[in-house]
Amino acid sequence: MPDSMNVLLTGGTGFLGEYLLANLLERGHSVWAHYRSESRKLDTVRLLSSMGLPRSAGSLKWFKGNILEADEQWERWCSEYPGLEDVDTLLHSAASTRLHMDEKGEPLKTNLGSTITFRKLIDRKPLKVHVVSTAYVCGLIQGDLVKESNHPRGDFVNVYEESKWEAEQIWNGAATILRPSIIVGHSETGRCTSFSGWYILFQAAHLLDRLMSDSKDLDRLGLNIDIPANPDGVSNVIPVDYVAKATVRIIEKPENHNKIYHLTHPKPPTHEWTLTHVCNRFKVGGLRFAGAGAPFTQPRNRVERMVWRQMQTILLHFANNPVFDRSNTNLVIGDITVPPITADYVDKIIDYAIEKDWGQSLD
Ligand SMILES: NC(=O)c1ccc[n+]([C@@H]2O[C@H](COP(=O)([O-])OP(=O)(O)OC[C@H]3O[C@@H](n4cnc5c(N)ncnc54)[C@H](OP(=O)(O)O)[C@@H]3O)[C@@H](O)[C@H]2O)c1
């Protein structure tokens, strides 16, 4: 077993963060978990307890504070939370995952603000730093191989990707960069708390299914919608449990530090495979990929119009088709199996999402 780490974890109540926390505890590390909301903390405590893991005391301690002021507030936090000063590792997973800028300045405010303040803090309080970024810091790519290296500024699909790229530049080699692709539900339970990305396609098909059930006169198998994307492109989705396990195993070994790792799927499903599966599952048909740049067919009725609008919102997911190199990741954790994306798995995550009403009824 590697040496035990004493970790300051940010974002520990988030979708990925909960599994990072669970993995750290399972592997015998001590964690100071930052949190903002009592109810989110309670949800995390419940998850840990369902896994038979410690909920507080001993190896897990919780602390509150504005992480955007980590540098200014550090001494005050340390006097308020005795023992916090002994952390030796920062695992920074907190982020705003908003894709586009809101009136409060998110996602830039959190994603850049937290990076700047922690970067300053480590000049005074040396810590081994590991940062959860995203594989999509590469920007828009058509089929090219994306290396585990620092990228030049890309053609970003949204402000979120740009904010994560900017954050990587601030660390500039002083942190381990973990780059997951699109994180989806747990490979065994399907559990998920953040139903964006791939889930939007499933949710659209589910809505369509319900809508068509109420309109018996519509031809659900003959929707006649052309989607302007390449059928052979892939959605690089990766189960949350793999990302958490891979992250903890990578950062445990000092020789792995300060490098870049793609936590991406080596065999991601093609858009065609995904669409066929989803159409079969929800008994709809007539949706086709017409190739990148093809025009959308004009909707003939209100159902087609709804599908058309929904498809436009997720088109950017289909439009970006990078192939992620995993050389660094394979070298250090090649022995950890990446759960395959099978029809059963996709059904499991859809079932879970429907049970949770696409995030409207999370426990
Ligand atoms: N989900 C994906 O598909 C995906 C893909 C690639 C990379 N990532 C990266 O993975 C990491 C985790 O993402 P996730 O999907 O787990 O997102 P998430 O469920 O939204 O969790 C984000 C976490 O960050 C915390 N947070 C947000 N703003 C904060 C602030 N201003 N101060 C303190 N804490 C703040 C949230 O706290 P609360 O619990 O209090 O809200 C939450 O714990 C992020 O760095 C994200 O960029 C995610």
Side-chain angles (χ1 to χ4, degrees), residues 248-274:
V248 173
R249 294 295 171 92
I250 288 171
I251 69 172
E252 275 176 341
K253 293 204 177 141
E255 62 269 30
N256 298 340
H257 294 177
N258 297 353
K259 294 179 189 141
I260 298 175
Y261 298 92
H262 279 165
L263 307 182
T264 51
H265 207 291
K267 286 191 184 148
T270 64
H271 299 328
E272 184 79 65
W273 181 89
T274 306

Side-chain angles (χ1 to χ4, degrees), residues 10-18 20 34-37 40-41 65-68 92-97 106 109-111 114 131-136 160 164 178-184 193-194 196-197 238 240 243:
T10 67
T13 51
F15 175 35
L16 172 63
E18 290 187 322
L20 290 172
H34 175 267
Y35 75 106
R36 298 192 292 185
S37 121
R40 297 294 299 257
K41 175 182 158 190
N66 181 355
I67 58 160
L68 303 187
H92 187 29
S93 181
S96 164
T97 53
E106 296 292 8
K109 188 176 164 198
T110 292
N111 300 356
S114 63
V131 175
V132 181
S133 184
T134 167
Y136 292 93
Y160 163 76
K164 300 294 274 190
L178 303 139
R179 289 186 185 156
S181 47
I182 304 162
I183 307 178
V184 287
T193 56
S194 172
S196 53
I238 188 85
V240 66
V243 177

Side-chain angles (χ1 to χ4, degrees), residues 212-226:
M212 307 274 281
S213 311
D214 297 341
S215 317
K216 302 279 184 235
D217 49 326
L218 293 167
D219 179 8
R220 57 188 300 149
L221 294 175
L223 285 172
N224 193 33
I225 307 271
D226 282 347

